[in-house]
Amino acid sequence: MATIASSRSVPGVTTPDARWTPVRHLGPNWYASVMGTAIVGTAGATLPVHVPGLRAACTVIWVLSLAMLLTLVTARALHWTHHRDQARAHLLDPAVAPFYGCLAMALLAVGGGAMVVGQDWIGLPAALALDTVLYVAGTVLGLAAAVAIPYLMVARHRVEGATPVWLLPVVAPMVSAALGPLLVPHLPAGQAQETLLIACYAMFGVSLLATLVMLPLVFGRLVTHGPLPLALTPTLFLVLGPLGQSTTAANKFADAARGVLPAPYAHAFAAFAVLYGVPVIGFALLWLAFAGALVVRARRRGMGFSMTFWAFTFPVGTCVTAAEGLAGHTGLTAFRWLATGLYGLLLAAWLVAAGHTLRGLLSGALLAAPGAPRPVTARTT
């Protein structure tokens, strides 16, 4: 009788459907795995070095990212349908809400990958259609998140200190800025092409200025309060995202501006790509060393795997594409080697994050309620 009574719904109280329990604690942070997988494919396909079979492998990885996106969007739709209480709780949780920016970036990353490598598998018309849909959806969601999440941070959230996670909603428009130029050549010449390119430049400004507001708060918190908690330490790599993505965007503007904008502006974008990109990628390397040192420190103090490990992937990938763009615009071999070295780091990080994530999914540990006992698995040495 107790079992029967407990299964009845109480008026005014939403009872979670037991059939959909596995998705109850599936947060928006999972979209970071899609972003990290997609950029392994796109960054590898445009490396300024020739590696036999690399492009084919990158196409396979992009297909994997597309499958992950479709699966995750479906699972998150079930989450919102059957666990609205938890979904609303995520929006009001200052530690979770910023990850809604990852949804936009996941859509954009997979869409951009369709144009870079996906067309090898599905053809240009299908790739263009897919990218158009995902780009429009990702851009709209990214701009909405860039406004809504900071609003919630001010009006509803109560936080103790800034973390790099705060950058996630405001960096989404920068991803739109960097990937929009891929669509410019496929628009009618004239106003349509110019409008999209200038809109991308405007989103570049939106994200860059918002980042300049957030970043001093993050560093100030580190200086005044010390290192982040162990599980959050990998999020220090998120700072690389707006740095690498903005440099990538500047280089893409220079490529797209030729033949679209009047000569003075096209030449200005070409100069801006180098004059902006070189010092920013320099600071990105400084931050990479700084964040890497803190990650080593955290690892020595017992930092284990969590989904924050995916912060090692997409932000590093943006630095790879930034170095690739600078290699093309400067002709310097140093940037070619930098892009190759960073891609090696990206690939290693992706293998570690993906391996641990797959193992956590199979064991059920990653989908368990926070604080729930983790499944015990046998281990051999």
Side-chain angles (χ1 to χ4, degrees), residues 7-36:
S7 64
R8 292 173 183 167
S9 61
V10 178
V13 177
T14 301
T15 303
D17 191 331
R19 292 175 299 173
W20 308 111
T21 298
V23 301
R24 176 166 177 78
H25 301 286
L26 185 71
N29 58 315
W30 279 81
Y31 286 111
S33 63
V34 178
M35 297 159 52

Side-chain angles (χ1 to χ4, degrees), residues 60-149:
V60 172
I61 293 173
W62 174 79
V63 172
L64 174 62
S65 72
L66 176 60
M68 291 170 63
L69 177 64
L70 294 174
T71 302
L72 191 52
V73 167
T74 301
R76 287 285 297 165
L78 292 172
H79 171 85
W80 270 94
T81 301
H82 298 283
H83 301 287
R84 292 181 184 176
D85 61 322
Q86 187 70 9
R88 287 192 293 267
H90 283 166
L91 277 174
L92 297 178
D93 186 342
V96 179
F99 284 97
Y100 273 92
C102 292
L103 166 58
M105 290 187 281
L107 296 172
L108 293 164
V110 174
M115 294 298 293
V116 176
V117 291
Q119 61 176 294
D120 296 352
W121 182 57
I122 61 177
L124 179 58
L128 181 58
L130 178 61
D131 186 28
T132 300
V133 172
L134 294 182
Y135 182 80
V136 171
T139 298
V140 171
L141 289 172
L143 290 172
V147 175
I149 302 304

